Amino acid sequence: LGRTGMYRKNLMCNEGVVASKGEIIAIPDSDAMFSPTFIESIISTFDEHKGENIVLYLDEVRSNDRRFYPVNTTSWRDVMSDPKLINWDYAAKKPAGLLTNHDVVHYRNYGACFCARRQNIIDMGGLDEHSAYHCLLCGPHELGWRMVNKGYREIWHQSEWLLHTWHPWVKG
């Protein structure tokens, strides 16, 4: 973008929304792995909720196992078969955060993957570009919460999620 100074993810996301041509925008964790059904799952959810104002989230399963680094040498199946996933409920076969309705802000990963219709994002004014939203606070969290406060329905996908594996500089 020819900009100088500190990197601001929210500015870049807004530029991407404006430049995009698609109806649905997905803003995923940039260092996550995606399943082969990732895009199909997002599109089908929006198809199921045609005519509704929704915000769709996909949670993220985490692994601290260093053998999965670098990520480009790891398969989805290898990570999902790890017996020590951090936030995975092995009995329910889904991220543990999806099994609770208590304190979801702390149990679910709002930054893993946010999805909304492009026009709805534009109508809301996009992601907040204030300097307070940087580093670990960057991303679509606040936009999603503003949309829900305005009456949009918050949906968490129950069978699609992202994977995040250990890499250097990952924070606990």
Side-chain angles (χ1 to χ4, degrees), residues 25-164:
I25 301 293
I27 304 174
D29 185 347
S30 59
D31 60 353
M33 295 173 67
F34 311 93
S35 82
T37 58
F38 174 74
I39 294 172
E40 176 186 341
S41 295
I42 293 169
I43 292 170
S44 66
T45 300
F46 279 88
D47 285 346
E48 290 169 22
H49 296 277
K50 271 216 182 313
E52 291 181 61
N53 287 326
I54 67 168
V55 177
L56 173 65
Y57 291 99
L58 281 69
D59 209 342
E60 186 172 74
V61 178
R62 299 185 74 86
S63 169
N64 276 338
D65 193 329
R66 292 180 181 221
R67 70 189 161 108
F68 296 133
Y69 179 79
V71 175
N72 64 352
T73 63
T74 302
S75 76
W76 180 271
R77 187 175 316 145
D78 289 344
V79 178
M80 288 306 301
S81 64
D82 182 1
K84 295 182 274 183
L85 294 172
I86 295 169
N87 61 327
W88 181 249
D89 186 296
Y90 288 89
K93 297 184 175 152
K94 61 175 57 182
L98 295 179
L99 301 175
T100 185
N101 287 320
H102 170 75
D103 195 15
V104 295
V105 171
H106 293 102
Y107 285 97
R108 297 180 185 176
N109 187 339
Y110 280 85
C113 188
F114 161 93
C115 308
R117 288 186 179 88
R118 178 179 180 269
Q119 191 57 53
N120 293 152
I121 294 171
I122 292 169
D123 291 347
M124 291 297 297
L127 285 77
D128 195 321
E129 294 180 19
H130 188 275
S131 62
Y133 295 104
H134 69 281
C135 299
L136 295 176
L137 296 177
C138 68
H141 315 71
E142 61 78 29
L143 172 59
W145 293 327
R146 279 190 287 127
M147 292 175 87
V148 168
N149 286 339
K150 189 168 175 136
Y152 287 67
R153 183 171 167 210
E154 180 177 312
I155 297 173
W156 284 84
H157 206 289
Q158 296 298 305
S159 60
E160 189 73 40
W161 43 83
L162 288 70
L163 297 179
H164 189 279

